[in-house]
Every structure is written in C-alpha cells, then in structure tokens.
Amino acid sequence: MAINRSAPENFHYDNAEKTNKNFIYKNLNRSKCYNCNFSNSNFDYASLRGAHFKKCNFFRCSFKGAEFIGSNLKGCKFKEAKFEDTVFEGANLDGADFIDAKFKNTIFVGCDLSKAKNLNLEGKGIRV
C-alpha cells in the first residue's frame, strides 16, 4: 500500500483483497484503487471526492450517506450494493454495473448515465 503524502489518510491499492472491511466515516478523497475487491464492505458516510476506483468490485457493499463527487468509477461492479442518501456528482460511471443494486434517496447530478450498466432510472429512490 502506498500513502498519499498530501493526504495521509488516503490509500492506494492495486489488485488487493479488502473484503468485509469497515470504511464508515472515512475520508477517501483522492484515493486510488485498481482492480480491488471490496465485497461486503461498509462505506457508510464515507467521502470519495475525486477518488479513482477503477475496475473494483463492490458486491453487497453499503453506501449510506456516501458522496461520489468527481469520482472515477470506470468499470466498477456494484452488484447488490445498497445506496441510501447517496450523491453522485460529476462521477465517471463508464461501464459501471449496478445490477440488482438498491437505491433509496440517491441523486445523480452531472453524470453521463448512458454509459452505466443495469441502472434503472425509472426505479424509486433515484433522482437525476
């Protein structure tokens, strides 16, 4: 793991297994992860501003009160993830897969949703 000297609480992982971890209230701004598995982890109230999580697996993760502002989530898998009171603003969702994800009071602002997969914009709990 590499540490970002300008923001030491942030982390950088490549090809890491981080399943069943607790990231509640973490400041993950500008963190960078590639091809990591975060399955069953808890990101409630986490800030992911400017974070780059490319091709990561968020299977059954919880994102209550989380914020993805200017985040790069290209190719991430959010299968069966739970989003509640979550904000996606200016996030790159190119190839992000939301199959069977659950949404409650989730807002998408300034995101190109045409490149996201399995995102039901007609469902309850999503505002664009």
Side-chain angles (χ1 to χ4, degrees), residues 17-24 38-43:
E17 284 289 325
K18 294 290 174 185
T19 58
N20 302 304
K21 300 293 182 189
N22 198 349
F23 298 100
I24 294 177
F38 292 100
S39 292
N40 295 303
S41 292
N42 190 335
F43 290 88

Side-chain angles (χ1 to χ4, degrees), residues 58-118:
F58 294 101
F59 175 70
R60 290 190 177 160
C61 286
S62 176
F63 295 96
K64 183 176 184 178
E67 58 179 8
F68 295 93
I69 299 177
S71 304
N72 187 349
L73 304 170
K74 187 175 183 177
C76 288
K77 295 176 184 168
F78 294 97
K79 183 176 183 178
E80 297 182 29
K82 293 179 183 172
F83 299 91
E84 183 177 344
D85 301 323
T86 304
V87 175
F88 289 85
E89 184 177 336
N92 179 359
L93 301 173
D94 188 2
D97 192 349
F98 291 91
I99 192 162
D100 296 327
K102 305 285 186 258
F103 296 94
K104 183 176 179 183
N105 195 30
T106 299
I107 301 170
F108 290 89
V109 180
C111 300
D112 183 357
L113 302 177
S114 66
K115 296 180 179 180
K117 298 177 185 174
N118 300 303

Side-chain angles (χ1 to χ4, degrees), residues 5-21:
R5 294 189 199 287
S6 64
E9 68 278 4
N10 298 348
F11 54 79
H12 299 250
Y13 293 116
D14 286 333
N15 305 306
E17 284 289 325
K18 294 290 174 185
T19 58
N20 302 304
K21 300 293 182 189

